[in-house]
Amino acid sequence: MKLSHRRSAWRILAATAVSWAALALPSAWAETVRYNVVAGGENVGWMVVDREQDEVRIDYHVDNNGRGPKHKEHLVLDAQGYPTLWTIDGTSLFGGAINERFERTGDRVRWTSQADSGEAPVSAGRLYVANDASPWSLALYANALSDAPQQTLDVAPGGRITLTEVRRLPLKGGTVNAVVYRLTGLNLAPSYLLLDDKGDLIGGLGGLIREDLAEEEPALRRLQAELETQRIREIQSRFAQAFDAPVRFRNVRIFQPETGDLSPLSEVTVFGDRIATILPETGGPRRADVYEIDGEGGTLVPGLHDMHAHNNTQSGLNYLLAGVTSTRDMGNDNARLIDLIGEIERGELPGPRIVRNGMLEGRSPYSVRTGFLADTLEEALEAVRWYADHGYWQLKIYNSLHPEWVAPVAAEAHRLGLGVTGHVPAFVTPDQALASGYDEISHINQLMLGWLLEPGEDSRTPLRLTAMARGATLDMDSERVQRTIRTMVEQKSALDVTAVTLETLMMSRAGEIPPMAAAFIDNMPIGYQRYRRRAFVDINTPEADAAYRGGFQKILETIKRLHDAGVTLLPGTDDTLGLTVHREMELFTLAGLTPAEALTASTLTPERYMGRDQDLGSIARGKMADFFLVPGDPTQDINAIRAIRLVMKGGAAYQPAEIYPEMGIRPFASGVTIHAPAQPTKRTETADTPSALFGPEGLEGHYH
């Protein structure tokens, strides 16, 4: 039963003077429902919902990997289930303060949140979408939408949300009838939830489940993956363009990462999934036997890399539309990642080329539940062997791995041909990690904590982020700093930078557009815009504000010092948006690298690092056709990479201007016109195929 129906029933009963006690049905009017929050198959939090008549009180608490939202909510609902009062108090993911208020009085609604404050007439949006709500809010929205025309509503503070019934699903041997719904318009990706036949929340697909149905959570998580896969497959089938003849890009310049220059105006022809020819632009007429695209003097840029990704079904589309054609996955659901890569490689789903790194964590109160969680050294070593047997490229060590395990785990990884990267475990310094076998360090803060933490301080907690404010007073010429840089140079160690992640955490302020999103936030859905206008850590004094700003400037200075010393810098985001890869490159330039150096670091450098530069990383004859087209010159202004007109990955073309509206995003550039050949040719096993053109193993026998 919908909440509004319950309240109506209560008023009818009250009017007939039937006493509450005489009803003997208190659970219908006052009840407590408990939910588990699940990650990696383990409970990492709870949600407790107390409901009585028109009031709802919620206690939401998540503690996963030393972080998570923790807050309490109070709602007063009207007879139709809309909130007239909604307060949320507590902390967000990394400890930022939440004091959100919504109230409806008369014909006005007013709100204050981390992101914004304002008021509007009720007619502009009677339903308020909260900025920091618990998952219970999904049921609130769904019940309101169930009575709305076309199950769509305009909402405050802006935007429109839509409810779609996906399927009916019996649970617990058929004793519970669940309905799966999809909510769109809240953010970039849809939200999935389950309601019972009374309209009450059962859970959200992917981590929340009513306590009495806990055994259903693994199956529901798989269902979420299935539903999202179906949705993205449909987008892939509609918008990914394959070609049955060569594709010629005319009137383009090519970014050449080896030199940092642009080529003269050129013609680039792609056949199948490889670049067939690169010739000087002749200005001649269109050819009748090829697909042809006029680049109008724009620039072809090799596909970008995100060297710190956690791929999922949705992220593949995000990456491609941002020109990111390769990622390195730094920890995931191992089985799902292998399946996802197969679906992408078969062309069933859009997505980048994915290099797999396997995450290894040790058991502690702060453990992350991704990859393998080891209770003993032998379990840790077995995890390393599993990753090696399944073709992973590197091992990623995480915060809670026991310090004494680092050296034997790294040695086993090296014995089996795996590289070693990761966080620096708690109570271990970066210098010690490098001496124990690390080839690379993940995140610039994990490197700099070795200069900022005191012995005994625990980096498994949010201190690994908040301590970066101490960097404001760091002496970059101190022996402590210089020793680490010398070690990295001597050992040829790399740094997976993820500066954009640190900027998000250190430079975001409540109610302000964060620098990391300034270039694209106005193009995004209202839910994403509000999510970004928040503080992720508690910055409540001018002194704290100055410390975080000064600390981030030291991060930029560290990037430049490492670059000048010759340390390999790998751009990454620890995000799934794709667009943040552009900001990571921009931060490289703010640190002092030239735009061309930032472009090289994001194209050819990762492929050389991973040993794939014979096939990828630059635009050259015989290489894979992974590149994108922009109208400007990114060697002069790195922001030119944001205006992407077309992306090609392995010979399939995507036009962001066509696809972004499907995701609620306003495109950043217009698309291109693709002129089809007058007489299409079909690919057959003749002398025109790539294998015949380039030899049995590719060009000069080196490509495969």
Side-chain angles (χ1 to χ4, degrees), residues 102 165 205 247 409 444 489 495 560 663 684:
F102 167 81
E165 181 178 321
L205 297 190
V247 183
V409 162
I444 195 166
V489 172
L495 175 66
K560 186 62 163 63
M663 304 160 65
T684 57

Side-chain angles (χ1 to χ4, degrees), residues 242-262:
F243 301 95
D244 56 2
V247 183
R248 183 168 68 152
F249 291 81
R250 296 188 56 182
N251 195 20
V252 294
R253 301 184 190 275
I254 302 166
F255 173 67
Q256 302 170 121
E258 298 90 343
T259 62
D261 299 324
L262 297 189

Side-chain angles (χ1 to χ4, degrees), residues 422-436:
H423 289 208
V424 176
F427 316 116
V428 176
T429 69
D431 292 357
Q432 291 168 338
L434 292 168
S436 297

Side-chain angles (χ1 to χ4, degrees), residues 398-403 423-429 446 457-461:
Y398 211 65
N399 298 321
S400 295
L401 194 77
H402 297 288
H423 289 208
V424 176
F427 316 116
V428 176
T429 69
Q446 291 288 320
E457 289 190 301
D458 193 345
S459 61
R460 296 172 298 180
T461 70

Side-chain angles (χ1 to χ4, degrees), residues 165 203 210 281 366 471 561 587 665 670:
E165 181 178 321
R210 208 170 70 194
E281 174 62 56
Y366 306 101
R561 295 269 187 138
L587 287 173
I665 298 174
S670 62

